[in-house]
Amino acid sequence: MNTFLRYLAQITLAGSIALGVATAAHAEDKVVRIGFQKYGTLILLKTKGLLEEKLKPQGYTVEWTEFPAGPQLLEALNVGSIDFGTTGEAPPIFAQAAGAPLVYVGYEPPAPEAEAILVPKDSPLKTVADLKGKKVALNKGSNVHYLLVKALEKAGLGYTDIEVNFLPPADARAAFEKQAVDAWVIWEPFLAAAEAATGARQLANGSGVVDNHEFYLASRDFLDAHPDVVDTIVASLGEVDTWINANRGDVAEQFSPALGIPVDVLEVAVERRTYGVKPITPEVVAAQQKIADVFHRLGLIPAAIRIADAVKKPQS
């Protein structure tokens, strides 16, 4: 019995030491995991390496993961694979409705021309009203989801007056080129790329229809544990936005190789966006709430949500 107790004490001690080492290693593992998309200030921040410089003195490293669209990015945030990311207006609404622990921490100014409803260059469709009964491709839960709803409404059509095909950008582009769908609702830089490569026409963009804000979001646990890091990320984004506004003519040439986007396409995408990260305001919360209420009314989200519940609180 004494031998057994000694053995039990030894393995308990060994386990405690191992646990202590693991805990210490975890505490020292200061990694910020950021999700980005094909274009935007966040990927330019990645390319510049500015954030790594700012966080290195604090002992942090940065891991970057690219996503095809906002819904996929926020699913990764929901399951704890990333800590911070950027999407348009619609994805965080769908994610919040699904219970994702996200927090809005900043936004970019409106960019209504940076998303549009495209048709092939030889399409007989001339107006949004012509979409009645047609097949329209879009990425489910993405920003263009709301553009489509509002554009149809403006044209006197309902969401059920068309046949929606949910496809991510790459698959939607293939279906569009094969004319397996009649129209494609898409954002930059996929928008400019499709126009340049196929001669696609815009039936409508967001002008006079939607704001098309871009939001920066953090996981609630990460924000609570590392508010200073989130502030550093947002401040760094502000520095990149300032640089872009002062050097618009250089953006495409400088970043095209790193982003894998042709210079002519990137030039169009840059000009259709506005830059200047800002803290979330009551007006932006109200605009986002309006979108959430529309989605709930259409049955696109299962329950009503309150956007204000997912907004970063001002520091006291």
Side-chain angles (χ1 to χ4, degrees):
M1 177 64 73
N2 288 341
T3 302
F4 175 74
L5 290 176
R6 282 197 299 272
Y7 171 71
L8 182 61
Q10 288 171 352
I11 63 172
T12 300
L13 177 61
S16 298
I17 293 173
L19 179 60
V21 170
T23 302
H26 180 72
E28 295 171 2
D29 186 24
K30 299 169 72 173
V31 179
V32 184
R33 302 163 302 166
I34 298 179
F36 64 97
Q37 298 185 54
K38 190 64 175 177
Y39 178 67
T41 303
L42 200 52
I43 191 173
L44 299 183
L45 175 63
K46 171 184 181 293
T47 305
K48 275 182 167 291
L50 178 63
L51 185 60
E52 284 81 354
E53 292 178 15
K54 288 182 175 293
L55 291 179
K56 187 175 181 180
Q58 301 176 47
Y60 286 91
T61 58
V62 185
E63 291 181 356
W64 300 87
T65 303
E66 182 175 348
F67 293 87
Q72 293 90 330
L73 186 153
L74 289 183
E75 176 56 27
L77 186 143
N78 184 36
V79 300
S81 297
I82 62 171
D83 308 304
F84 188 97
T86 180
T87 78
E89 296 160 331
I93 290 172
F94 283 88
Q96 186 181 350
L102 60 86
V103 183
Y104 293 82
V105 298
Y107 78 100
E108 298 280 354
E113 295 182 0
E115 59 179 3
I117 302 172
L118 290 181
V119 294
K121 61 181 179 180
D122 57 354
S123 171
L125 307 181
K126 304 299 182 184
T127 69
V128 175
D130 295 333
L131 290 175
K132 186 172 183 178
K134 305 300 183 182
K135 295 180 180 179
V136 181
L138 61 88
N139 192 91
K140 184 178 183 180
S142 64
N143 223 34
V144 295
H145 211 146
Y146 187 61
L147 169 61
L148 178 62
V149 169
K150 297 306 289 183
L152 291 172
E153 182 180 286
K154 186 176 181 180
L157 298 179
Y159 185 70
T160 57
D161 285 328
I162 62 166
E163 181 182 332
V164 179
N165 285 217
F166 292 129
L167 297 169
D171 293 340
R173 168 77 179 263
F176 183 76
E177 290 189 8
K178 292 187 298 184
Q179 298 195 15
V181 295
D182 300 291
W184 178 25
V185 201
I186 190 59
W187 61 90
E188 295 293 2
F190 304 107
L191 171 58
E195 289 174 314
T198 72
R201 294 184 291 106
Q202 293 188 15
L203 284 188
N205 60 34
S207 297
V209 184
V210 296
D211 291 325
N212 190 30
H213 286 118
E214 179 182 356
F215 287 104
Y216 298 110
L217 304 120
S219 75
R220 188 170 296 279
D221 285 348
F222 187 81
L223 177 62
D224 289 345
H226 309 281
D228 54 332
V229 174
V230 173
D231 288 344
T232 298
I233 297 172
V234 174
S236 300
L237 288 164
E239 290 185 35
V240 175
D241 278 340
T242 299
W243 183 89
I244 293 172
N245 285 327
N247 301 275
R248 280 185 179 248
D250 300 328
V251 174
E253 194 72 38
Q254 181 170 336
F255 290 106
S256 174
L259 303 184
I261 302 173
V263 172
D264 59 335
V265 171
L266 192 51
E267 286 175 340
V268 173
V270 170
E271 288 305 315
R272 286 175 176 169
R273 283 279 315 277
T274 50
Y275 305 87
V277 61
K278 304 176 186 297
I280 304 297
T281 65
E283 293 76 17
V284 170
V285 171
Q288 194 70 347
Q289 185 65 55
K290 181 179 177 181
I291 299 173
D293 293 343
V294 169
F295 284 164
H296 181 232
R297 173 172 55 81
L298 293 173
L300 295 174
I301 58 175
I305 60 171
R306 187 172 178 269
I307 299 297
D309 292 341
V311 173
K312 180 186 177 186
K313 302 297 186 292
Q315 294 180 341
S316 56

